[in-house]
Amino acid sequence: MREDVENLDIRDVTANWVNAEVLAHQIEERIKALADLSHTPLFFGRLDYLHAPGADQAEGAEGERFYIGRRHVHDADGDPMVIDWRAPVSQPFYRASKKDPMDIGLRRRFGYTGGDLTAYEDEHLSDPAEAATTSKLLQREIERPRVGPMRDIVATIQPEQDEIVRAGLSGTVCVQGGPGTGKTAVGLHRVAYLLYAHRERLARTGTLVIGPNKSFLHYIEQVLPALGELEVKQATVDDLVAHVEVRGTDTAAAAVIKGDARMAEVLRRAVRAHVTMPTEPVVVVRGSRRWRVPAYELEEIVRELLDRDIRYGAARDALPQRIAHAVLVQMERSGEAPDDRVQDAVARNAAVKAAVRAIWPPVDPAKLVLRLLTDADFLAEHADRVLDADEQKEILWSKPFRSVKSAKWSPADAVLIDEATDLVQRTHSLGHVVLDEAQDLSPMQYRAVGRRCTTGSATVLGDLAQGTTPWATRSWHEALAHLGKPDAVIEELTAGFRVPTDVITYASRLLPHIAPGLTPVASVRENPGFFEVRTIAGAADVVAACAELLGNEGSTGLIAADARIPALAEALTAAGVPYLAPGEETTRETRLTLVPASLAKGLEYDYVVLDEPQAVVDGEPDERTGLRRLYVALTRAVSGLVVTHAAPLPPQLG
């Protein structure tokens, strides 16, 4: 298929060089999408239908056989050899069961090692004599060692995951899922499915995946290309709101206030305060005639624009046209017959322009936020009865900055500027947005993401128990309201595929203290995993534990409180143990990653050494956030976990 595209001759099919360039680019992208992945098989399953799909079963129509794979594959004649996993005919591979065989006589799963076919397993779903069993190949694929970036799960999607993946484009879906339930994979595969089912629409409107940090985005960036989807953009929330250079930080208290949804009202007031009611008439001179629009009529126009509550910039653009229209009405009354060109000319008249500048001056969003954070009186005026005096004092900068460029903006400030920018000019909306690790966003950050999908839908992924910011959301209903999607469907995934039984059971001891209402994850893995808590004497014992786990196949992560990372790095270097930073790709030679606890979220390793749990808790501003950070760190292991400690363990672990 790739060679067919490479051999296309487009010399005589384009009208001009622009069309030729566009077509050449499209062909180049198609060739990239058809790249071979040596470790990935073209098909992983087979379905034998009892009757041809869509045929009348009463007529005894013969069945059909379909091979299911990541991509549609056809032969030289264009006949399908492998059916895309997203096609409707593939759905029974994920949904069919002994209770509901969905007209499937046989479902076959193929097992692969490094791209080579090594096993297969059959289920005769319509045979009452065959008992339902757990797929050994499915278990083996789930428990396969992790080396390198995140991989797709098309061969192991479960029925409850498939329902979310195939949910329609029009609605927003929120997925609450504990560690290892596959929520990130489900979100990415939902994007792939939507691009398959609504390709033309999403090609026009765009799709975006939002992750918590660059390391996480690097970890997941190969999933969609492996499924042939190259057009999906990735970003962090900080990337979305990068109107200014971020060089500063906030106290936790200031960040919570700046991230509060009430700041949207403060900004709205501050923007609208720039409008000044006219006190003088506008006099337009055209030839020998003078046309006068009185102040009271100008005020009516301004109040009507304010009442419509449209964007500040859009209203400012409309104001000269409204004034010009008032002049044209007078012209028509006097017997003239002006047209649209006359109205445009009046709107550009110097007197009209001067009036617009005085009534509705331009607003620079960054300068507006700068003034709010440095001018106590200006903030007090617009935060009256919204923020109390202590809250206003908390967010005011102790050291004022003279200009936007010299100011040391914090991440929360950048979000405020994004809100102000949207008040002035509407933010471009996309067709679909995936928001991962959503529990950590502030209300103002939710609003920033929501602006990017006002005319589209979203997939929101997260775990309330893993909220590790001071402003972490306490309920999905509240978060979805800030996102602008209050009617979103909330789904909960409770079956754990990644974290071994013994590990998730140990970590779940923290749930009553960090998220009392959540259902604990129940691991579906048959392998209980390797789990051990060790009392140690020093860093040398931590290095020894890492060396021991590196004797196994797969990746190993050493997770520790951020403050302990330099000492552990020094100990690893002294012992001659090579290691990587989070986001760097593991190789067969270097399979150990040294991970600060603050960056562990969303990552996974075959084996994990967790150093000093109490230090992880103490590294956060409050105990609840610290215990949530510890819960995240405890649940990164796929096959085994060793907890090392010299200090006493947190009492919540029992």
Side-chain angles (χ1 to χ4, degrees), residues 477-491:
H477 291 289
E478 180 185 323
L480 291 165
H482 292 310
L483 192 71
K485 306 291 183 184
D487 299 326
V489 176
I490 300 175
E491 303 280 0

Side-chain angles (χ1 to χ4, degrees), residues 96-102 125 132:
S97 64
K98 294 292 288 186
K99 288 183 180 177
D100 181 15
M102 299 176 72
L125 297 176

